[in-house]
mmCIF file of all heavy atoms in Angstrom:
data_model
loop_
_atom_site.group_PDB
_atom_site.id
_atom_site.type_symbol
_atom_site.label_atom_id
_atom_site.label_comp_id
_atom_site.label_asym_id
_atom_site.label_seq_id
_atom_site.Cartn_x
_atom_site.Cartn_y
_atom_site.Cartn_z
ATOM 1 N N LEU A 4 1.792 -3.979 -15.811
ATOM 2 C CA LEU A 4 0.673 -3.815 -14.942
ATOM 3 C C LEU A 4 0.320 -2.305 -14.754
ATOM 4 O O LEU A 4 -0.594 -1.967 -14.024
ATOM 5 C CB LEU A 4 0.954 -4.425 -13.551
ATOM 6 C CG LEU A 4 1.183 -5.933 -13.556
ATOM 7 C CD1 LEU A 4 1.575 -6.387 -12.129
ATOM 8 C CD2 LEU A 4 -0.043 -6.673 -14.051
ATOM 9 N N GLN A 5 1.040 -1.441 -15.446
ATOM 10 C CA GLN A 5 0.800 0.015 -15.248
ATOM 11 C C GLN A 5 -0.622 0.401 -15.699
ATOM 12 O O GLN A 5 -1.104 -0.061 -16.693
ATOM 13 C CB GLN A 5 1.868 0.812 -16.004
ATOM 14 C CG GLN A 5 3.270 0.641 -15.437
ATOM 15 C CD GLN A 5 3.277 0.843 -13.898
ATOM 16 O OE1 GLN A 5 3.016 1.947 -13.418
ATOM 17 N NE2 GLN A 5 3.587 -0.199 -13.174
ATOM 18 N N GLY A 6 -1.248 1.231 -14.857
ATOM 19 C CA GLY A 6 -2.610 1.655 -15.139
ATOM 20 C C GLY A 6 -3.671 0.688 -14.622
ATOM 21 O O GLY A 6 -4.869 0.946 -14.799
ATOM 22 N N ARG A 7 -3.265 -0.457 -14.056
ATOM 23 C CA ARG A 7 -4.206 -1.473 -13.615
ATOM 24 C C ARG A 7 -4.531 -1.383 -12.121
ATOM 25 O O ARG A 7 -5.378 -2.087 -11.656
ATOM 26 C CB ARG A 7 -3.650 -2.874 -13.900
ATOM 27 C CG ARG A 7 -3.333 -3.205 -15.373
ATOM 28 C CD ARG A 7 -4.601 -3.576 -16.144
ATOM 29 N NE ARG A 7 -5.640 -2.614 -16.165
ATOM 30 C CZ ARG A 7 -5.785 -1.590 -17.020
ATOM 31 N NH1 ARG A 7 -4.861 -1.380 -17.907
ATOM 32 N NH2 ARG A 7 -6.790 -0.773 -16.927
ATOM 33 N N PHE A 8 -3.856 -0.521 -11.371
ATOM 34 C CA PHE A 8 -3.998 -0.578 -9.911
ATOM 35 C C PHE A 8 -5.201 0.230 -9.378
ATOM 36 O O PHE A 8 -5.435 1.346 -9.825
ATOM 37 C CB PHE A 8 -2.721 -0.176 -9.257
ATOM 38 C CG PHE A 8 -1.625 -1.191 -9.447
ATOM 39 C CD1 PHE A 8 -0.626 -0.948 -10.372
ATOM 40 C CD2 PHE A 8 -1.670 -2.426 -8.844
ATOM 41 C CE1 PHE A 8 0.361 -1.893 -10.590
ATOM 42 C CE2 PHE A 8 -0.715 -3.349 -9.079
ATOM 43 C CZ PHE A 8 0.292 -3.118 -9.970
ATOM 44 N N TRP A 9 -5.902 -0.400 -8.468
ATOM 45 C CA TRP A 9 -6.978 0.210 -7.716
ATOM 46 C C TRP A 9 -6.412 1.350 -6.932
ATOM 47 O O TRP A 9 -5.256 1.289 -6.468
ATOM 48 C CB TRP A 9 -7.600 -0.828 -6.796
ATOM 49 C CG TRP A 9 -8.422 -0.308 -5.699
ATOM 50 C CD1 TRP A 9 -9.757 0.020 -5.807
ATOM 51 C CD2 TRP A 9 -8.098 -0.095 -4.323
ATOM 52 N NE1 TRP A 9 -10.241 0.418 -4.570
ATOM 53 C CE2 TRP A 9 -9.188 0.344 -3.642
ATOM 54 C CE3 TRP A 9 -6.929 -0.249 -3.621
ATOM 55 C CZ2 TRP A 9 -9.208 0.660 -2.294
ATOM 56 C CZ3 TRP A 9 -6.880 0.073 -2.270
ATOM 57 C CH2 TRP A 9 -8.014 0.506 -1.626
ATOM 58 N N THR A 10 -7.170 2.427 -6.733
ATOM 59 C CA THR A 10 -6.690 3.539 -5.921
ATOM 60 C C THR A 10 -7.707 3.830 -4.857
ATOM 61 O O THR A 10 -8.906 3.976 -5.115
ATOM 62 C CB THR A 10 -6.518 4.794 -6.828
ATOM 63 O OG1 THR A 10 -5.546 4.474 -7.820
ATOM 64 C CG2 THR A 10 -6.061 5.969 -5.988
ATOM 65 N N ASN A 11 -7.230 3.941 -3.648
ATOM 66 C CA ASN A 11 -8.049 4.373 -2.498
ATOM 67 C C ASN A 11 -8.069 5.886 -2.548
ATOM 68 O O ASN A 11 -7.111 6.549 -2.116
ATOM 69 C CB ASN A 11 -7.462 3.873 -1.195
ATOM 70 C CG ASN A 11 -8.191 4.332 -0.004
ATOM 71 O OD1 ASN A 11 -9.134 5.152 -0.087
ATOM 72 N ND2 ASN A 11 -7.818 3.804 1.176
ATOM 73 N N ASN A 12 -9.076 6.492 -3.122
ATOM 74 C CA ASN A 12 -9.161 7.915 -3.317
ATOM 75 C C ASN A 12 -9.249 8.719 -2.030
ATOM 76 O O ASN A 12 -8.993 9.943 -2.038
ATOM 77 C CB ASN A 12 -10.372 8.282 -4.160
ATOM 78 C CG ASN A 12 -10.195 7.771 -5.574
ATOM 79 O OD1 ASN A 12 -9.117 7.823 -6.188
ATOM 80 N ND2 ASN A 12 -11.272 7.222 -6.163
ATOM 81 N N GLY A 13 -9.540 8.093 -0.887
ATOM 82 C CA GLY A 13 -9.583 8.800 0.359
ATOM 83 C C GLY A 13 -8.243 8.899 1.040
ATOM 84 O O GLY A 13 -8.143 9.477 2.124
ATOM 85 N N GLU A 14 -7.177 8.354 0.468
ATOM 86 C CA GLU A 14 -5.876 8.310 1.085
ATOM 87 C C GLU A 14 -4.883 9.206 0.341
ATOM 88 O O GLU A 14 -4.951 9.287 -0.910
ATOM 89 C CB GLU A 14 -5.370 6.868 1.090
ATOM 90 C CG GLU A 14 -4.284 6.605 2.057
ATOM 91 C CD GLU A 14 -4.711 6.655 3.537
ATOM 92 O OE1 GLU A 14 -5.794 6.203 3.839
ATOM 93 O OE2 GLU A 14 -3.931 7.203 4.304
ATOM 94 N N ILE A 15 -4.049 9.892 1.027
ATOM 95 C CA ILE A 15 -3.005 10.758 0.424
ATOM 96 C C ILE A 15 -1.662 10.019 0.579
ATOM 97 O O ILE A 15 -1.220 9.676 1.682
ATOM 98 C CB ILE A 15 -2.944 12.116 1.119
ATOM 99 C CG1 ILE A 15 -4.265 12.852 0.918
ATOM 100 C CG2 ILE A 15 -1.801 12.954 0.545
ATOM 101 C CD1 ILE A 15 -4.387 14.125 1.794
ATOM 102 N N ALA A 16 -1.022 9.733 -0.557
ATOM 103 C CA ALA A 16 0.194 8.945 -0.558
ATOM 104 C C ALA A 16 1.304 9.569 0.224
ATOM 105 O O ALA A 16 1.600 10.799 0.107
ATOM 106 C CB ALA A 16 0.640 8.725 -1.995
ATOM 107 N N GLY A 17 1.972 8.765 1.055
ATOM 108 C CA GLY A 17 3.221 9.113 1.693
ATOM 109 C C GLY A 17 3.171 10.149 2.820
ATOM 110 O O GLY A 17 4.221 10.587 3.262
ATOM 111 N N ASN A 18 1.989 10.462 3.300
ATOM 112 C CA ASN A 18 1.960 11.533 4.365
ATOM 113 C C ASN A 18 1.965 10.914 5.772
ATOM 114 O O ASN A 18 1.928 11.625 6.779
ATOM 115 C CB ASN A 18 0.761 12.449 4.205
ATOM 116 C CG ASN A 18 -0.577 11.796 4.452
ATOM 117 O OD1 ASN A 18 -0.670 10.612 4.673
ATOM 118 N ND2 ASN A 18 -1.616 12.584 4.395
ATOM 119 N N GLY A 19 1.991 9.566 5.881
ATOM 120 C CA GLY A 19 2.050 8.902 7.189
ATOM 121 C C GLY A 19 0.779 8.987 8.007
ATOM 122 O O GLY A 19 0.826 8.780 9.183
ATOM 123 N N LEU A 20 -0.357 9.313 7.328
ATOM 124 C CA LEU A 20 -1.598 9.410 8.057
ATOM 125 C C LEU A 20 -2.654 8.485 7.485
ATOM 126 O O LEU A 20 -2.595 8.064 6.312
ATOM 127 C CB LEU A 20 -2.127 10.850 7.916
ATOM 128 C CG LEU A 20 -1.269 12.005 8.436
ATOM 129 C CD1 LEU A 20 -1.844 13.340 8.102
ATOM 130 C CD2 LEU A 20 -1.079 11.854 9.999
ATOM 131 N N ASP A 21 -3.640 8.147 8.301
ATOM 132 C CA ASP A 21 -4.770 7.360 7.840
ATOM 133 C C ASP A 21 -5.862 8.368 7.450
ATOM 134 O O ASP A 21 -6.764 8.646 8.189
ATOM 135 C CB ASP A 21 -5.264 6.467 8.977
ATOM 136 C CG ASP A 21 -6.470 5.647 8.580
ATOM 137 O OD1 ASP A 21 -6.769 5.528 7.381
ATOM 138 O OD2 ASP A 21 -7.082 5.080 9.520
ATOM 139 N N ASP A 22 -5.724 8.953 6.251
ATOM 140 C CA ASP A 22 -6.610 10.015 5.793
ATOM 141 C C ASP A 22 -8.076 9.647 5.733
ATOM 142 O O ASP A 22 -8.972 10.443 5.949
ATOM 143 C CB ASP A 22 -6.135 10.540 4.418
ATOM 144 C CG ASP A 22 -4.747 11.031 4.477
ATOM 145 O OD1 ASP A 22 -4.483 12.033 5.198
ATOM 146 O OD2 ASP A 22 -3.860 10.410 3.800
ATOM 147 N N ASP A 23 -8.363 8.371 5.368
ATOM 148 C CA ASP A 23 -9.753 7.934 5.203
ATOM 149 C C ASP A 23 -10.312 7.263 6.451
ATOM 150 O O ASP A 23 -11.433 6.770 6.479
ATOM 151 C CB ASP A 23 -9.891 7.011 3.999
ATOM 152 C CG ASP A 23 -9.088 5.745 4.104
ATOM 153 O OD1 ASP A 23 -8.338 5.573 5.089
ATOM 154 O OD2 ASP A 23 -9.235 4.886 3.194
ATOM 155 N N ASN A 24 -9.513 7.214 7.527
ATOM 156 C CA ASN A 24 -9.922 6.630 8.838
ATOM 157 C C ASN A 24 -10.399 5.159 8.716
ATOM 158 O O ASN A 24 -11.299 4.771 9.442
ATOM 159 C CB ASN A 24 -10.985 7.487 9.479
ATOM 160 C CG ASN A 24 -10.448 8.844 9.828
ATOM 161 O OD1 ASN A 24 -9.389 8.955 10.458
ATOM 162 N ND2 ASN A 24 -11.169 9.897 9.461
ATOM 163 N N ASN A 25 -9.761 4.389 7.847
ATOM 164 C CA ASN A 25 -10.139 3.010 7.729
ATOM 165 C C ASN A 25 -9.198 2.096 8.579
ATOM 166 O O ASN A 25 -9.334 0.866 8.523
ATOM 167 C CB ASN A 25 -10.138 2.517 6.265
ATOM 168 C CG ASN A 25 -8.783 2.410 5.640
ATOM 169 O OD1 ASN A 25 -7.740 2.855 6.240
ATOM 170 N ND2 ASN A 25 -8.700 1.877 4.467
ATOM 171 N N GLY A 26 -8.278 2.677 9.307
ATOM 172 C CA GLY A 26 -7.399 1.947 10.184
ATOM 173 C C GLY A 26 -6.048 1.612 9.554
ATOM 174 O O GLY A 26 -5.195 0.960 10.189
ATOM 175 N N TYR A 27 -5.785 2.059 8.313
ATOM 176 C CA TYR A 27 -4.574 1.693 7.622
ATOM 177 C C TYR A 27 -3.948 2.984 7.048
ATOM 178 O O TYR A 27 -4.557 3.697 6.276
ATOM 179 C CB TYR A 27 -4.825 0.669 6.489
ATOM 180 C CG TYR A 27 -5.505 -0.549 7.052
ATOM 181 C CD1 TYR A 27 -6.888 -0.741 6.910
ATOM 182 C CD2 TYR A 27 -4.771 -1.468 7.782
ATOM 183 C CE1 TYR A 27 -7.485 -1.829 7.474
ATOM 184 C CE2 TYR A 27 -5.410 -2.574 8.356
ATOM 185 C CZ TYR A 27 -6.743 -2.748 8.184
ATOM 186 O OH TYR A 27 -7.359 -3.841 8.746
ATOM 187 N N VAL A 28 -2.687 3.176 7.368
ATOM 188 C CA VAL A 28 -1.916 4.372 6.976
ATOM 189 C C VAL A 28 -1.390 4.182 5.532
ATOM 190 O O VAL A 28 -0.767 3.141 5.217
ATOM 191 C CB VAL A 28 -0.771 4.637 7.962
ATOM 192 C CG1 VAL A 28 0.129 5.777 7.440
ATOM 193 C CG2 VAL A 28 -1.336 4.940 9.318
ATOM 194 N N ASP A 29 -1.607 5.147 4.696
ATOM 195 C CA ASP A 29 -1.032 5.203 3.338
ATOM 196 C C ASP A 29 -1.398 4.026 2.453
ATOM 197 O O ASP A 29 -0.604 3.590 1.638
ATOM 198 C CB ASP A 29 0.460 5.419 3.396
ATOM 199 C CG ASP A 29 0.873 6.779 3.901
ATOM 200 O OD1 ASP A 29 0.052 7.732 3.800
ATOM 201 O OD2 ASP A 29 2.008 6.924 4.404
ATOM 202 N N ASP A 30 -2.587 3.479 2.617
ATOM 203 C CA ASP A 30 -3.032 2.353 1.782
ATOM 204 C C ASP A 30 -3.642 2.879 0.471
ATOM 205 O O ASP A 30 -4.782 2.705 0.202
ATOM 206 C CB ASP A 30 -4.020 1.481 2.556
ATOM 207 C CG ASP A 30 -5.293 2.170 2.990
ATOM 208 O OD1 ASP A 30 -5.190 3.322 3.430
ATOM 209 O OD2 ASP A 30 -6.349 1.571 2.845
ATOM 210 N N VAL A 31 -2.822 3.483 -0.339
ATOM 211 C CA VAL A 31 -3.246 4.114 -1.556
ATOM 212 C C VAL A 31 -3.607 3.073 -2.640
ATOM 213 O O VAL A 31 -4.624 3.218 -3.304
ATOM 214 C CB VAL A 31 -2.143 5.035 -2.125
ATOM 215 C CG1 VAL A 31 -2.535 5.607 -3.468
ATOM 216 C CG2 VAL A 31 -1.886 6.159 -1.111
ATOM 217 N N ASN A 32 -2.790 2.020 -2.753
ATOM 218 C CA ASN A 32 -3.069 0.969 -3.757
ATOM 219 C C ASN A 32 -3.296 -0.420 -3.183
ATOM 220 O O ASN A 32 -3.410 -1.368 -3.946
ATOM 221 C CB ASN A 32 -1.947 0.891 -4.780
ATOM 222 C CG ASN A 32 -1.747 2.150 -5.613
ATOM 223 O OD1 ASN A 32 -0.694 2.733 -5.547
ATOM 224 N ND2 ASN A 32 -2.765 2.500 -6.352
ATOM 225 N N GLY A 33 -3.381 -0.505 -1.863
ATOM 226 C CA GLY A 33 -3.542 -1.755 -1.204
ATOM 227 C C GLY A 33 -2.840 -1.704 0.153
ATOM 228 O O GLY A 33 -2.494 -0.629 0.614
ATOM 229 N N TYR A 34 -2.576 -2.907 0.739
ATOM 230 C CA TYR A 34 -1.938 -2.890 2.031
ATOM 231 C C TYR A 34 -1.127 -4.176 2.232
ATOM 232 O O TYR A 34 -1.368 -5.181 1.637
ATOM 233 C CB TYR A 34 -2.984 -2.825 3.155
ATOM 234 C CG TYR A 34 -2.411 -2.385 4.475
ATOM 235 C CD1 TYR A 34 -2.104 -1.033 4.705
ATOM 236 C CD2 TYR A 34 -2.160 -3.302 5.469
ATOM 237 C CE1 TYR A 34 -1.536 -0.627 5.925
ATOM 238 C CE2 TYR A 34 -1.594 -2.927 6.675
ATOM 239 C CZ TYR A 34 -1.304 -1.597 6.907
ATOM 240 O OH TYR A 34 -0.713 -1.189 8.094
ATOM 241 N N ASP A 35 -0.059 -4.074 3.050
ATOM 242 C CA ASP A 35 0.822 -5.167 3.390
ATOM 243 C C ASP A 35 0.572 -5.591 4.808
ATOM 244 O O ASP A 35 1.060 -4.952 5.752
ATOM 245 C CB ASP A 35 2.285 -4.698 3.208
ATOM 246 C CG ASP A 35 3.310 -5.777 3.613
ATOM 247 O OD1 ASP A 35 2.878 -6.832 4.115
ATOM 248 O OD2 ASP A 35 4.486 -5.542 3.352
ATOM 249 N N PHE A 36 -0.249 -6.643 5.005
ATOM 250 C CA PHE A 36 -0.590 -7.152 6.304
ATOM 251 C C PHE A 36 0.582 -8.027 6.892
ATOM 252 O O PHE A 36 0.633 -8.274 8.075
ATOM 253 C CB PHE A 36 -1.858 -7.922 6.289
ATOM 254 C CG PHE A 36 -3.074 -7.056 6.129
ATOM 255 C CD1 PHE A 36 -3.561 -6.778 4.878
ATOM 256 C CD2 PHE A 36 -3.649 -6.486 7.209
ATOM 257 C CE1 PHE A 36 -4.656 -5.923 4.712
ATOM 258 C CE2 PHE A 36 -4.734 -5.620 7.111
ATOM 259 C CZ PHE A 36 -5.232 -5.339 5.842
ATOM 260 N N ALA A 37 1.494 -8.465 6.044
ATOM 261 C CA ALA A 37 2.629 -9.263 6.520
ATOM 262 C C ALA A 37 3.615 -8.406 7.323
ATOM 263 O O ALA A 37 4.270 -8.870 8.227
ATOM 264 C CB ALA A 37 3.313 -9.964 5.360
ATOM 265 N N ASN A 38 3.726 -7.081 6.894
ATOM 266 C CA ASN A 38 4.692 -6.215 7.519
ATOM 267 C C ASN A 38 4.045 -4.987 8.109
ATOM 268 O O ASN A 38 4.753 -4.124 8.670
ATOM 269 C CB ASN A 38 5.741 -5.811 6.466
ATOM 270 C CG ASN A 38 6.492 -6.991 5.932
ATOM 271 O OD1 ASN A 38 7.172 -7.662 6.690
ATOM 272 N ND2 ASN A 38 6.292 -7.307 4.638
ATOM 273 N N GLY A 39 2.737 -4.795 7.977
ATOM 274 C CA GLY A 39 2.039 -3.666 8.574
ATOM 275 C C GLY A 39 2.346 -2.320 7.929
ATOM 276 O O GLY A 39 2.475 -1.343 8.659
ATOM 277 N N THR A 40 2.388 -2.262 6.630
ATOM 278 C CA THR A 40 2.706 -1.022 5.920
ATOM 279 C C THR A 40 1.692 -0.810 4.802
ATOM 280 O O THR A 40 1.037 -1.771 4.339
ATOM 281 C CB THR A 40 4.103 -0.982 5.282
ATOM 282 O OG1 THR A 40 4.139 -1.820 4.129
ATOM 283 C CG2 THR A 40 5.156 -1.451 6.299
ATOM 284 N N GLY A 41 1.662 0.388 4.293
ATOM 285 C CA GLY A 41 0.803 0.721 3.138
ATOM 286 C C GLY A 41 1.414 0.392 1.818
ATOM 287 O O GLY A 41 0.863 0.744 0.777
ATOM 288 N N ASP A 42 2.538 -0.262 1.810
ATOM 289 C CA ASP A 42 3.264 -0.620 0.574
ATOM 290 C C ASP A 42 3.102 -2.115 0.298
ATOM 291 O O ASP A 42 3.756 -2.944 0.915
ATOM 292 C CB ASP A 42 4.735 -0.253 0.629
ATOM 293 C CG ASP A 42 5.481 -0.578 -0.634
ATOM 294 O OD1 ASP A 42 4.838 -0.946 -1.660
ATOM 295 O OD2 ASP A 42 6.703 -0.417 -0.651
ATOM 296 N N PRO A 43 2.181 -2.527 -0.611
ATOM 297 C CA PRO A 43 1.955 -3.938 -0.902
ATOM 298 C C PRO A 43 2.959 -4.556 -1.865
ATOM 299 O O PRO A 43 2.726 -5.627 -2.422
ATOM 300 C CB PRO A 43 0.558 -3.964 -1.469
ATOM 301 C CG PRO A 43 0.461 -2.634 -2.213
ATOM 302 C CD PRO A 43 1.267 -1.673 -1.396
ATOM 303 N N THR A 44 4.110 -3.890 -2.100
ATOM 304 C CA THR A 44 5.152 -4.458 -2.961
ATOM 305 C C THR A 44 5.925 -5.489 -2.214
ATOM 306 O O THR A 44 6.357 -5.220 -1.087
ATOM 307 C CB THR A 44 6.072 -3.307 -3.468
ATOM 308 O OG1 THR A 44 5.303 -2.275 -4.105
ATOM 309 C CG2 THR A 44 7.097 -3.843 -4.452
ATOM 310 N N PRO A 45 6.152 -6.660 -2.782
ATOM 311 C CA PRO A 45 6.866 -7.719 -2.066
ATOM 312 C C PRO A 45 8.339 -7.342 -1.812
ATOM 313 O O PRO A 45 8.920 -6.543 -2.520
ATOM 314 C CB PRO A 45 6.762 -8.898 -2.979
ATOM 315 C CG PRO A 45 6.489 -8.352 -4.335
ATOM 316 C CD PRO A 45 5.785 -7.073 -4.126
ATOM 317 N N GLU A 46 8.906 -7.993 -0.790
ATOM 318 C CA GLU A 46 10.325 -7.806 -0.505
ATOM 319 C C GLU A 46 11.088 -8.389 -1.688
ATOM 320 O O GLU A 46 10.666 -9.358 -2.313
ATOM 321 C CB GLU A 46 10.703 -8.565 0.770
ATOM 322 C CG GLU A 46 10.003 -8.109 2.015
ATOM 323 C CD GLU A 46 8.674 -8.816 2.220
ATOM 324 O OE1 GLU A 46 8.423 -9.841 1.617
ATOM 325 O OE2 GLU A 46 7.860 -8.262 2.948
ATOM 326 N N ASP A 47 12.261 -7.839 -1.938
ATOM 327 C CA ASP A 47 13.093 -8.303 -3.032
ATOM 328 C C ASP A 47 14.084 -9.331 -2.483
ATOM 329 O O ASP A 47 14.785 -9.036 -1.550
ATOM 330 C CB ASP A 47 13.845 -7.126 -3.672
ATOM 331 C CG ASP A 47 14.668 -7.585 -4.898
ATOM 332 O OD1 ASP A 47 14.257 -8.531 -5.540
ATOM 333 O OD2 ASP A 47 15.699 -6.939 -5.131
ATOM 334 N N ASP A 48 14.068 -10.528 -3.073
ATOM 335 C CA ASP A 48 15.010 -11.556 -2.662
ATOM 336 C C ASP A 48 15.867 -11.891 -3.859
ATOM 337 O O ASP A 48 15.453 -12.721 -4.710
ATOM 338 C CB ASP A 48 14.240 -12.804 -2.178
ATOM 339 C CG ASP A 48 15.199 -13.920 -1.703
ATOM 340 O OD1 ASP A 48 16.412 -13.733 -1.808
ATOM 341 O OD2 ASP A 48 14.682 -14.934 -1.229
ATOM 342 N N PRO A 49 17.067 -11.312 -4.001
ATOM 343 C CA PRO A 49 17.883 -11.543 -5.163
ATOM 344 C C PRO A 49 18.455 -12.958 -5.308
ATOM 345 O O PRO A 49 18.933 -13.371 -6.382
ATOM 346 C CB PRO A 49 19.030 -10.582 -4.984
ATOM 347 C CG PRO A 49 19.110 -10.328 -3.524
ATOM 348 C CD PRO A 49 17.709 -10.448 -3.041
ATOM 349 N N TYR A 50 18.321 -13.770 -4.239
ATOM 350 C CA TYR A 50 18.820 -15.139 -4.243
ATOM 351 C C TYR A 50 17.786 -16.179 -4.606
ATOM 352 O O TYR A 50 18.066 -17.366 -4.672
ATOM 353 C CB TYR A 50 19.479 -15.462 -2.890
ATOM 354 C CG TYR A 50 20.583 -14.495 -2.546
ATOM 355 C CD1 TYR A 50 20.362 -13.524 -1.594
ATOM 356 C CD2 TYR A 50 21.795 -14.574 -3.217
ATOM 357 C CE1 TYR A 50 21.371 -12.630 -1.293
ATOM 358 C CE2 TYR A 50 22.799 -13.657 -2.931
ATOM 359 C CZ TYR A 50 22.575 -12.689 -1.981
ATOM 360 O OH TYR A 50 23.550 -11.782 -1.679
ATOM 361 N N SER A 51 16.532 -15.765 -4.783
ATOM 362 C CA SER A 51 15.486 -16.704 -5.007
ATOM 363 C C SER A 51 15.102 -16.718 -6.481
ATOM 364 O O SER A 51 14.669 -15.677 -7.015
ATOM 365 C CB SER A 51 14.246 -16.333 -4.133
ATOM 366 O OG SER A 51 13.256 -17.233 -4.402
#
């Protein structure tokens, strides 16, 4: 999937700020509404 991800150009990765004032901190490639973070990578479940 490398090179396929959308980028929010108004956001600066990892600075802990909502740079584009859209209400979401560090949403560079998407957002995680299940956990309230800017990292949309799923949790790792090694038993599943």
Side-chain angles (χ1 to χ4, degrees):
L4 299 175
Q5 294 310 295
R7 299 281 56 88
F8 292 104
W9 164 83
T10 301
N11 178 352
N12 293 320
E14 200 67 42
I15 299 169
N18 69 355
L20 301 172
D21 178 15
D22 302 297
D23 62 355
N24 296 311
N25 70 351
Y27 304 102
V28 173
D29 291 337
D30 61 318
V31 175
N32 295 119
Y34 198 77
D35 177 354
F36 288 92
N38 299 296
T40 75
D42 182 6
T44 304
E46 299 86 17
D47 184 30
D48 182 357
Y50 302 105
S51 179

